[in-house]
Amino acid sequence: MITVDEALAHCLALAEPLDSEHVPLAEAAGRVLSRSVAARRDQPPFASSAMDGYAVTAEAPRTGDRFTVVGEAAAGHGWDGRLHDGEALRIFTGAPLPAGATRVIIQEDVTREGDVITLGDRLDHQTNIRPAGSDFRKGQTLDAPRVLRPADVALAASMNQPALPVARKPVVAIIATGDELVQPGEDPRADQIVASNSYGIKGMAEAAGAHARLLPIARDRVESLATVFGLAADADIIVTIGGASVGDHDLVGQVALASGMERSFYKVALRPGKPLMAGRMGAAALLGLPGNPVSSMVCAQIFLVPMIRAMLGLGKAPAPRETAELAVDLPENGPREHYMRATLDTGGRYPRVTPGERQDSSLLTVLAHADALMIRPAGQGPLKAGALVEFLRL
């Protein structure tokens, strides 16, 4: 068996950044910007009013000063003249500042009679002007790589970019294996169960930025598994669930090797998830997950998600770990690195983490109630409540 770190290094070695594609700005949120883009204009492109009020030429206006209103400007409707001493322009937020203006007096500080305004006694020292280019200048960049948040998309739109270069979404083909499986909604026999892992892993892969496809369940026959493998020929990552152990009915490794897989490793010192394998199968990376529901989901979190992020150009790195205080005493750990399903309490200086009492790898209810995986190194001794431990957020 190899360590978790060694297994992850092998998995990341199989995951190279994919090519780019351009998508319309309206479809870019959540995608990974693959190349920096530059602003095509200044923002704002002209000096503009930050408030509703009156633009004037006075450098130091005083209470009682009077100005004659000579026109009006609104957003999208500029005024082409030039202000002179003693003149004012009625102006609204976002409108271009007229030539000659030095400040905008907000409307609450003005009384108006006909075309004459008089300044009140609550004048402040603000110019209430947004200078041209005060947000960004032409040529300023939105840097890559980055997952495009709504604010990034808004910034790109303001930069006058109608489409953005993004990393192609990795295609993840998910293959559940086993004669015991039926699809949700079907009527299982007394000796069958409902396939669940594949749906959770599909959601996990898509949340990480991939395009995930659920393939038909592969039965415990060489021909069935080979046929479903054929349906995954266009995938960037092939994920198999179950059948990766060494029992008489565990055929994934056998069929994959017969199909030309170059195996990187088999078996990891990990709990849950010891029977795990990875390798190269044609142009695709193959990740063989264990069949127990929690084992497959935990292993996908540790290995599949970083592989997807690497293919998106976000770097080859493990999932980020955080530190928390242990809420309970724990006995010594065994010889495998243990990822314990746990809950977090974030009220103190450090989050407090409480591992679930039941850690059986078949218990999806425990995983569904967890918001963290608390990590115990292999061979770690007993821990007391209050000890600092590492965890992954779920």
Side-chain angles (χ1 to χ4, degrees):
M1 289 190 292
I2 62 175
T3 68
V4 173
D5 288 345
E6 290 169 334
L8 180 58
H10 282 296
C11 288
L12 292 176
L14 300 169
E16 296 301 326
L18 301 177
D19 51 341
S20 296
E21 60 186 12
H22 275 76
V23 298
L25 195 64
E27 301 173 12
R31 300 294 297 271
V32 175
L33 187 69
S34 58
R35 187 177 67 253
S36 298
V37 295
R40 300 168 66 182
R41 62 184 314 196
D42 294 345
Q43 177 63 19
F46 44 77
S48 63
S49 178
M51 304 291 285
D52 292 347
Y54 294 86
V56 298
T57 62
E59 290 290 346
R62 294 174 299 178
T63 297
D65 285 351
R66 294 162 62 88
F67 298 86
T68 300
V69 180
V70 294
E72 180 176 296
H77 300 279
W79 185 73
D80 293 333
R82 182 180 186 88
L83 281 184
H84 299 92
D85 291 344
E87 294 180 337
L89 180 77
R90 178 67 166 128
I91 196 167
F92 296 92
T93 303
L97 198 70
T102 57
R103 68 181 56 238
V104 172
I105 308 297
I106 63 175
Q107 60 190 18
E108 291 84 356
D109 291 343
V110 168
T111 57
R112 179 170 177 172
E113 295 181 6
D115 288 336
V116 176
I117 62 170
T118 303
L119 305 190
D121 58 4
R122 296 184 299 163
L123 295 174
D124 58 31
H125 300 291
Q126 303 297 319
T127 64
N128 298 312
I129 294 171
R130 296 181 179 131
S134 57
D135 193 359
F136 57 80
R137 292 287 186 180
K138 181 178 180 179
Q140 188 171 330
T141 58
L142 177 62
D143 292 330
R146 69 198 302 139
V147 178
L148 289 164
R149 302 166 302 159
D152 298 321
V153 176
L155 176 58
S158 188
M159 289 176 163
N160 203 21
Q161 292 285 352
L164 294 176
V166 297
R168 179 175 65 80
K169 288 187 174 186
V171 176
V172 178
I174 301 169
I175 305 172
T177 69
D179 286 345
E180 74 278 15
L181 299 179
V182 299
Q183 294 289 5
E186 295 181 0
D187 293 322
R189 299 191 313 260
D191 58 354
Q192 290 183 307
I193 60 174
V194 177
S196 58
N197 313 3
S198 48
Y199 291 90
I201 290 168
K202 181 178 188 292
M204 190 184 299
E206 290 175 343
H211 172 67
R213 293 195 292 117
L214 290 176
L215 298 187
I217 295 171
R219 300 306 172 184
D220 290 328
R221 297 181 298 279
V222 169
E223 317 81 60
S224 176
L225 190 53
T227 297
V228 180
F229 268 136
L231 299 176
D234 63 339
D236 299 294
I237 305 175
I238 301 171
V239 176
T240 62
I241 305 169
S245 192
V246 291
D248 293 342
H249 300 283
D250 296 315
L251 302 175
V252 170
Q254 173 186 331
V255 175
L257 289 169
S259 301
M261 181 186 74
E262 300 173 11
R263 192 161 67 187
S264 300
F265 66 85
Y266 169 65
K267 289 189 180 179
V268 181
L270 166 66
R271 180 183 176 199
K274 174 182 169 183
L276 182 84
M277 72 174 179
R280 172 71 60 189
M281 191 169 179
L286 185 141
L287 181 64
L289 300 176
N292 277 328
V294 175
S295 299
S296 65
M297 293 285 288
V298 169
C299 288
Q301 190 77 44
I302 298 169
F303 300 105
L304 177 60
V305 170
M307 291 174 72
I308 292 170
R309 290 179 58 82
M311 287 187 172
L312 289 169
L314 294 172
K316 295 186 176 186
R321 296 185 178 191
E322 299 177 62
T323 300
E325 286 185 353
L326 182 61
V328 296
D329 295 345
L330 289 177
E332 65 181 0
N333 188 34
R336 291 183 284 163
E337 192 168 315
H338 193 182
Y339 287 72
M340 305 182 74
R341 281 68 72 201
T343 55
L344 290 174
D345 177 358
T346 57
R349 177 186 174 191
Y350 287 104
R352 285 176 60 82
V353 62
T354 305
E357 292 184 3
R358 300 190 300 164
Q359 293 291 322
D360 188 285
S361 60
S362 67
L363 302 178
L364 277 174
T365 52
V366 176
L367 182 63
H369 284 94
D371 45 22
L373 294 173
M374 196 198 89
I375 305 166
R376 297 201 66 186
Q380 185 183 52
L383 293 177
K384 292 290 187 182
L388 296 183
V389 294
E390 291 187 319
F391 70 92
L392 303 179
R393 286 188 187 267
L394 292 176

